[in-house]
Amino acid sequence: MLPYITIFGRQLSSYSIMAGFGFFIMWLAAWLVTRKRKEIDQNHVPHVALAAMLGLFIGAHILYGVVNSGMLVKAAKDHFSLLHSFGNYLILFGTVFGGMVFYGGLFGALIGAFWYMKVLKLPKYPYFDVMAFCVPLFHGFARIGCFLGGCCYGIECPFGFTFHNALVPSANGVSRFPVQLLESGVEFVLFALIMILYIRKKLSGKLMYVYLLSYAVIRFLDEFLRGDKIRGFVGPLSTSQFISVLMFVTVTVILIVKAVKKKNSTAAQSDASSVEDVADEVVDKISDDVKTES
Protein backbone atom coordinates (compact mmCIF):
# COMPACT_ATOMS: atom_id res chain seq x y z
CA MET A 1 0.00 0.00 0.00
CA LEU A 2 2.23 2.79 1.32
CA PRO A 3 5.21 1.35 3.24
CA TYR A 4 7.11 4.66 3.34
CA ILE A 5 6.11 8.31 3.64
CA THR A 6 8.45 11.18 2.80
CA ILE A 7 8.44 14.03 5.32
CA PHE A 8 10.76 17.03 4.84
CA GLY A 9 12.80 15.04 2.37
CA ARG A 10 13.26 12.12 4.74
CA GLN A 11 11.72 8.72 4.11
CA LEU A 12 10.00 7.20 7.15
CA SER A 13 8.14 3.90 7.48
CA SER A 14 4.38 4.22 7.64
CA TYR A 15 4.33 1.88 10.61
CA SER A 16 6.66 4.13 12.62
CA ILE A 17 4.54 7.17 11.82
CA MET A 18 1.28 5.47 12.80
CA ALA A 19 2.81 3.98 15.97
CA GLY A 20 4.17 7.39 16.96
CA PHE A 21 0.81 9.03 16.28
CA GLY A 22 -0.92 6.28 18.25
CA PHE A 23 1.40 6.86 21.21
CA PHE A 24 0.60 10.58 21.20
CA ILE A 25 -3.18 10.00 20.98
CA MET A 26 -2.92 7.36 23.71
CA TRP A 27 -1.07 9.72 26.04
CA LEU A 28 -3.52 12.56 25.28
CA ALA A 29 -6.52 10.32 26.02
CA ALA A 30 -4.96 9.17 29.30
CA TRP A 31 -4.22 12.75 30.34
CA LEU A 32 -7.70 14.03 29.50
CA VAL A 33 -9.61 11.18 31.14
CA THR A 34 -7.58 11.17 34.38
CA ARG A 35 -7.66 14.91 35.06
CA LYS A 36 -10.24 14.61 37.85
CA ARG A 37 -9.12 11.28 39.27
CA LYS A 38 -7.63 11.73 42.73
CA GLU A 39 -5.98 8.31 42.66
CA ILE A 40 -3.95 9.29 39.57
CA ASP A 41 -1.04 11.74 39.72
CA GLN A 42 -0.96 13.27 36.24
CA ASN A 43 2.72 14.09 36.64
CA HIS A 44 3.37 10.35 36.44
CA VAL A 45 1.12 9.62 33.45
CA PRO A 46 3.71 10.44 30.74
CA HIS A 47 6.45 8.66 32.70
CA VAL A 48 4.38 5.49 33.07
CA ALA A 49 3.64 5.69 29.34
CA LEU A 50 7.33 6.03 28.47
CA ALA A 51 8.29 3.15 30.78
CA ALA A 52 5.59 1.04 29.13
CA MET A 53 6.77 1.96 25.62
CA LEU A 54 10.37 1.10 26.50
CA GLY A 55 9.22 -2.27 27.81
CA LEU A 56 7.07 -2.73 24.70
CA PHE A 57 10.00 -2.09 22.37
CA ILE A 58 12.30 -4.52 24.20
CA GLY A 59 9.68 -7.22 24.76
CA ALA A 60 8.40 -7.14 21.16
CA HIS A 61 11.91 -7.66 19.76
CA ILE A 62 12.72 -10.41 22.26
CA LEU A 63 9.62 -12.45 21.41
CA TYR A 64 10.28 -11.95 17.69
CA GLY A 65 13.76 -13.37 18.29
CA VAL A 66 12.31 -16.34 20.18
CA VAL A 67 9.87 -17.06 17.34
CA ASN A 68 12.72 -16.91 14.80
CA SER A 69 15.37 -18.55 16.98
CA GLY A 70 15.54 -21.39 14.46
CA MET A 71 17.87 -19.23 12.38
CA LEU A 72 20.32 -19.04 15.25
CA VAL A 73 20.02 -22.76 15.94
CA LYS A 74 20.71 -23.56 12.29
CA ALA A 75 23.71 -21.22 12.22
CA ALA A 76 25.06 -22.77 15.44
CA LYS A 77 24.75 -26.30 14.03
CA ASP A 78 26.92 -25.17 11.13
CA HIS A 79 29.35 -23.69 13.69
CA PHE A 80 28.62 -20.28 12.17
CA SER A 81 30.75 -21.36 9.20
CA LEU A 82 28.88 -19.04 6.82
CA LEU A 83 29.61 -15.99 8.96
CA HIS A 84 33.00 -14.64 7.94
CA SER A 85 32.94 -11.21 9.55
CA PHE A 86 31.51 -9.22 12.42
CA GLY A 87 29.15 -7.61 9.92
CA ASN A 88 27.70 -11.03 9.07
CA TYR A 89 26.94 -11.62 12.74
CA LEU A 90 25.20 -8.25 12.96
CA ILE A 91 23.10 -9.11 9.93
CA LEU A 92 22.13 -12.48 11.45
CA PHE A 93 21.12 -11.03 14.80
CA GLY A 94 19.42 -8.10 13.08
CA THR A 95 17.34 -10.56 11.06
CA VAL A 96 16.47 -12.71 14.08
CA PHE A 97 15.56 -9.84 16.41
CA GLY A 98 14.74 -7.17 13.82
CA GLY A 99 10.96 -7.53 13.88
CA MET A 100 8.38 -7.17 16.64
CA VAL A 101 5.63 -9.40 18.01
CA PHE A 102 2.75 -7.66 19.76
CA TYR A 103 2.37 -10.10 22.64
CA GLY A 104 6.02 -9.61 23.54
CA GLY A 105 5.41 -5.87 23.44
CA LEU A 106 2.28 -6.18 25.59
CA PHE A 107 4.01 -8.15 28.34
CA GLY A 108 7.05 -5.88 28.07
CA ALA A 109 4.83 -2.80 28.46
CA LEU A 110 3.14 -4.24 31.55
CA ILE A 111 6.51 -5.10 33.09
CA GLY A 112 7.93 -1.67 32.25
CA ALA A 113 4.95 0.15 33.76
CA PHE A 114 4.92 -2.12 36.83
CA TRP A 115 8.64 -1.50 37.37
CA TYR A 116 8.12 2.28 37.29
CA MET A 117 5.16 2.09 39.68
CA LYS A 118 7.05 -0.16 42.05
CA VAL A 119 10.11 2.11 42.15
CA LEU A 120 7.96 5.20 42.71
CA LYS A 121 5.64 3.27 45.08
CA LEU A 122 2.53 4.16 43.08
CA PRO A 123 -0.76 2.26 43.48
CA LYS A 124 -0.70 -0.13 40.52
CA TYR A 125 -4.37 -0.85 39.90
CA PRO A 126 -5.46 2.75 39.12
CA TYR A 127 -2.69 3.08 36.53
CA PHE A 128 -3.32 -0.37 35.06
CA ASP A 129 -6.98 0.63 34.65
CA VAL A 130 -5.81 3.55 32.51
CA MET A 131 -3.48 1.29 30.53
CA ALA A 132 -6.41 -1.04 29.87
CA PHE A 133 -7.98 1.43 27.44
CA CYS A 134 -4.72 3.01 26.28
CA VAL A 135 -3.19 -0.22 24.94
CA PRO A 136 -5.99 -1.02 22.44
CA LEU A 137 -6.04 2.62 21.34
CA PHE A 138 -2.33 2.55 20.55
CA HIS A 139 -2.56 -0.89 18.98
CA GLY A 140 -5.41 0.21 16.72
CA PHE A 141 -3.21 2.87 15.10
CA ALA A 142 -0.24 0.50 14.95
CA ARG A 143 -2.33 -2.04 13.04
CA ILE A 144 -3.15 0.62 10.46
CA GLY A 145 0.61 1.01 10.10
CA CYS A 146 0.85 -2.76 9.55
CA PHE A 147 -1.69 -2.49 6.74
CA LEU A 148 0.14 0.39 5.08
CA GLY A 149 3.43 -1.46 5.31
CA GLY A 150 2.05 -4.82 4.24
CA CYS A 151 3.22 -6.82 7.25
CA CYS A 152 1.00 -9.13 9.33
CA TYR A 153 -0.99 -9.65 6.13
CA GLY A 154 -4.15 -11.70 5.68
CA ILE A 155 -5.12 -14.82 3.83
CA GLU A 156 -5.80 -14.86 0.10
CA CYS A 157 -9.24 -13.41 -0.53
CA PRO A 158 -11.05 -12.42 -3.78
CA PHE A 159 -12.48 -9.22 -2.26
CA GLY A 160 -9.36 -8.07 -0.42
CA PHE A 161 -6.44 -5.76 -1.23
CA THR A 162 -3.44 -6.51 -3.41
CA PHE A 163 -0.02 -5.34 -2.23
CA HIS A 164 2.61 -4.47 -4.81
CA ASN A 165 5.37 -2.93 -2.71
CA ALA A 166 4.84 -4.42 0.77
CA LEU A 167 7.77 -4.60 3.18
CA VAL A 168 7.25 -8.38 3.24
CA PRO A 169 7.73 -9.66 -0.35
CA SER A 170 5.48 -12.70 0.18
CA ALA A 171 2.50 -10.38 0.67
CA ASN A 172 2.73 -8.91 -2.83
CA GLY A 173 0.80 -9.80 -5.94
CA VAL A 174 -2.12 -11.59 -4.27
CA SER A 175 -5.51 -10.23 -3.19
CA ARG A 176 -5.55 -10.55 0.60
CA PHE A 177 -8.11 -10.07 3.36
CA PRO A 178 -7.33 -6.81 5.29
CA VAL A 179 -7.01 -8.54 8.65
CA GLN A 180 -4.91 -5.63 9.94
CA LEU A 181 -7.80 -3.19 9.43
CA LEU A 182 -10.26 -5.65 10.97
CA GLU A 183 -8.17 -5.93 14.12
CA SER A 184 -7.65 -2.17 14.15
CA GLY A 185 -11.42 -1.57 14.12
CA VAL A 186 -12.04 -4.13 16.87
CA GLU A 187 -9.25 -2.54 18.95
CA PHE A 188 -10.91 0.89 18.69
CA VAL A 189 -14.24 -0.60 19.78
CA LEU A 190 -12.53 -2.31 22.73
CA PHE A 191 -10.86 0.99 23.63
CA ALA A 192 -14.21 2.80 23.65
CA LEU A 193 -15.93 0.14 25.77
CA ILE A 194 -13.19 -0.01 28.40
CA MET A 195 -12.91 3.78 28.55
CA ILE A 196 -16.67 4.01 29.17
CA LEU A 197 -16.29 1.52 32.02
CA TYR A 198 -13.44 3.61 33.40
CA ILE A 199 -15.34 6.90 33.17
CA ARG A 200 -18.37 5.33 34.87
CA LYS A 201 -16.11 3.79 37.53
CA LYS A 202 -17.23 0.26 36.73
CA LEU A 203 -14.97 -2.73 37.51
CA SER A 204 -12.32 -0.46 38.99
CA GLY A 205 -9.08 -2.34 39.55
CA LYS A 206 -10.15 -5.07 37.10
CA LEU A 207 -10.11 -3.29 33.73
CA MET A 208 -6.74 -4.71 32.73
CA TYR A 209 -8.19 -8.19 33.24
CA VAL A 210 -11.12 -7.18 31.01
CA TYR A 211 -8.69 -6.11 28.30
CA LEU A 212 -6.50 -9.21 28.54
CA LEU A 213 -9.46 -11.60 28.37
CA SER A 214 -11.07 -9.69 25.50
CA TYR A 215 -7.91 -9.40 23.45
CA ALA A 216 -7.06 -13.06 23.96
CA VAL A 217 -10.35 -13.99 22.27
CA ILE A 218 -9.95 -11.37 19.53
CA ARG A 219 -6.41 -12.41 18.69
CA PHE A 220 -7.17 -16.13 18.77
CA LEU A 221 -9.95 -15.67 16.21
CA ASP A 222 -8.29 -13.21 13.84
CA GLU A 223 -5.21 -15.44 13.59
CA PHE A 224 -7.33 -17.70 11.38
CA LEU A 225 -7.41 -14.82 8.88
CA ARG A 226 -3.65 -14.28 8.92
CA GLY A 227 -1.66 -15.43 5.89
CA ASP A 228 1.92 -14.81 7.00
CA LYS A 229 3.88 -17.84 8.15
CA ILE A 230 6.76 -15.99 9.80
CA ARG A 231 4.77 -15.55 13.01
CA GLY A 232 5.56 -19.14 13.95
CA PHE A 233 3.51 -22.07 15.20
CA VAL A 234 3.23 -24.21 18.31
CA GLY A 235 1.68 -27.43 17.07
CA PRO A 236 -1.56 -26.62 15.22
CA LEU A 237 -1.78 -23.15 16.79
CA SER A 238 0.09 -20.05 15.76
CA THR A 239 2.39 -18.58 18.39
CA SER A 240 -0.12 -15.83 19.16
CA GLN A 241 -3.01 -18.31 19.42
CA PHE A 242 -1.00 -20.40 21.86
CA ILE A 243 -0.21 -17.31 23.95
CA SER A 244 -3.87 -16.22 23.74
CA VAL A 245 -5.06 -19.53 25.20
CA LEU A 246 -2.39 -19.44 27.90
CA MET A 247 -3.21 -15.83 28.80
CA PHE A 248 -6.97 -16.45 28.88
CA VAL A 249 -6.58 -19.46 31.18
CA THR A 250 -4.07 -17.66 33.43
CA VAL A 251 -6.23 -14.55 33.84
CA THR A 252 -9.32 -16.68 34.47
CA VAL A 253 -7.52 -18.63 37.20
CA ILE A 254 -6.29 -15.38 38.79
CA LEU A 255 -9.83 -13.98 38.88
CA ILE A 256 -11.23 -17.20 40.35
CA VAL A 257 -8.55 -17.25 43.07
CA LYS A 258 -9.25 -13.58 43.87
CA ALA A 259 -13.00 -14.26 44.05
CA VAL A 260 -12.51 -17.24 46.38
CA LYS A 261 -10.18 -15.23 48.64
CA LYS A 262 -12.66 -12.37 48.75
CA LYS A 263 -15.51 -14.75 49.57
CA ASN A 264 -13.52 -16.39 52.36
CA SER A 265 -12.49 -13.01 53.70
CA THR A 266 -16.09 -11.80 53.68
CA ALA A 267 -17.24 -14.99 55.40
CA ALA A 268 -14.53 -14.61 58.05
CA GLN A 269 -15.53 -11.01 58.67
CA SER A 270 -19.17 -12.07 58.90
CA ASP A 271 -18.30 -14.79 61.42
CA ALA A 272 -16.26 -12.32 63.45
CA SER A 273 -19.15 -9.87 63.41
CA SER A 274 -21.54 -12.61 64.55
CA VAL A 275 -19.26 -13.51 67.46
CA GLU A 276 -19.01 -9.85 68.44
CA ASP A 277 -22.81 -9.49 68.27
CA VAL A 278 -23.30 -12.56 70.50
CA ALA A 279 -20.70 -11.24 72.93
CA ASP A 280 -22.44 -7.87 73.03
CA GLU A 281 -25.78 -9.57 73.71
CA VAL A 282 -24.27 -11.61 76.55
CA VAL A 283 -22.70 -8.52 78.09
CA ASP A 284 -25.96 -6.59 77.76
CA LYS A 285 -27.92 -9.42 79.39
CA ILE A 286 -25.48 -9.71 82.29
CA SER A 287 -25.62 -5.97 82.74
CA ASP A 288 -29.43 -6.04 82.80
CA ASP A 289 -29.43 -8.89 85.34
CA VAL A 290 -27.04 -6.98 87.58
CA LYS A 291 -29.26 -3.92 87.39
CA THR A 292 -32.35 -6.00 88.19
CA GLU A 293 -30.75 -7.60 91.25
CA SER A 294 -29.60 -4.22 92.43
Side-chain angles (χ1 to χ4, degrees):
M1 288 290 125
L2 188 64
Y4 294 100
I5 297 176
T6 302
I7 300 178
F8 300 118
R10 185 175 181 180
Q11 201 174 51
L12 301 173
S13 73
S14 300
Y15 180 85
S16 298
I17 293 174
M18 292 307 301
F21 182 70
F23 176 78
F24 171 75
I25 296 298
M26 175 197 74
W27 171 82
L28 182 62
W31 184 81
L32 290 173
V33 174
T34 60
R35 284 181 300 171
K36 298 181 180 180
R37 289 298 183 100
K38 295 180 180 180
E39 69 273 19
I40 297 289
D41 185 342
Q42 286 207 305
N43 293 322
H44 289 295
V45 170
H47 300 147
V48 172
L50 288 173
M53 289 304 295
L54 178 61
L56 183 151
F57 183 80
I58 296 173
H61 282 289
I62 289 176
L63 186 54
Y64 186 87
V66 171
V67 171
N68 294 282
S69 59
M71 298 181 190
L72 285 176
V73 173
K74 184 178 180 180
K77 286 183 178 179
D78 294 334
H79 305 288
F80 299 99
S81 58
L82 299 178
L83 305 179
H84 305 295
S85 67
F86 181 70
N88 292 142
Y89 281 93
L90 289 180
I91 292 173
L92 174 62
F93 281 92
T95 301
V96 174
F97 293 96
M100 293 191 291
V101 176
F102 174 73
Y103 264 132
L106 172 61
F107 299 139
L110 294 177
I111 292 172
F114 179 79
W115 171 80
Y116 179 85
M117 288 182 278
K118 186 174 181 62
V119 171
L120 274 294
K121 297 181 179 179
L122 301 176
K124 60 180 182 295
Y125 287 115
Y127 289 91
F128 276 135
D129 278 350
V130 177
M131 286 184 67
F133 65 80
C134 284
V135 172
L137 178 60
F138 165 78
H139 198 195
F141 284 104
R143 277 295 184 227
I144 295 175
C146 290
F147 175 75
L148 294 175
C151 64
C152 308
Y153 56 83
I155 58 175
E156 294 185 24
C157 178
F159 53 85
F161 292 84
T162 302
F163 295 96
H164 297 289
N165 56 346
L167 296 175
V168 183
S170 56
N172 293 323
V174 179
S175 179
R176 297 187 177 280
F177 183 81
V179 65
Q180 310 99 319
L181 297 183
L182 173 64
E183 185 171 344
S184 175
V186 175
E187 291 276 20
F188 288 138
V189 171
L190 185 57
F191 150 72
L193 293 176
I194 295 179
M195 188 175 69
I196 290 173
L197 291 175
Y198 181 82
I199 292 174
R200 295 183 178 180
K201 298 183 179 180
K202 303 291 186 180
L203 298 176
S204 296
K206 298 183 178 67
L207 293 182
M208 181 54 72
Y209 296 128
V210 173
Y211 166 73
L212 293 175
L213 289 173
S214 300
Y215 185 72
V217 175
I218 292 168
R219 187 57 181 270
F220 183 88
L221 294 176
D222 78 17
E223 282 288 304
F224 289 111
L225 300 174
R226 290 278 290 268
D228 54 327
K229 304 301 181 184
I230 196 173
R231 66 193 190 280
F233 288 85
V234 179
L237 302 177
S238 70
T239 302
S240 292
Q241 284 179 320
F242 177 78
I243 295 175
S244 293
V245 172
L246 188 62
M247 184 170 75
F248 189 91
V249 172
T250 301
V251 173
T252 300
V253 170
I254 290 173
L255 290 175
I256 291 174
V257 170
K258 283 181 172 289
V260 170
K261 286 184 177 180
K262 183 177 180 180
K263 182 178 179 180
N264 292 339
S265 177
T266 302
Q269 291 178 358
S270 178
D271 291 342
S273 297
S274 299
V275 171
E276 290 179 0
D277 292 339
V278 171
D280 289 339
E281 290 179 5
V282 171
V283 171
D284 291 340
K285 185 175 182 185
I286 293 174
S287 178
D288 291 341
D289 292 342
V290 171
K291 289 180 180 179
T292 300
E293 293 177 0
S294 299

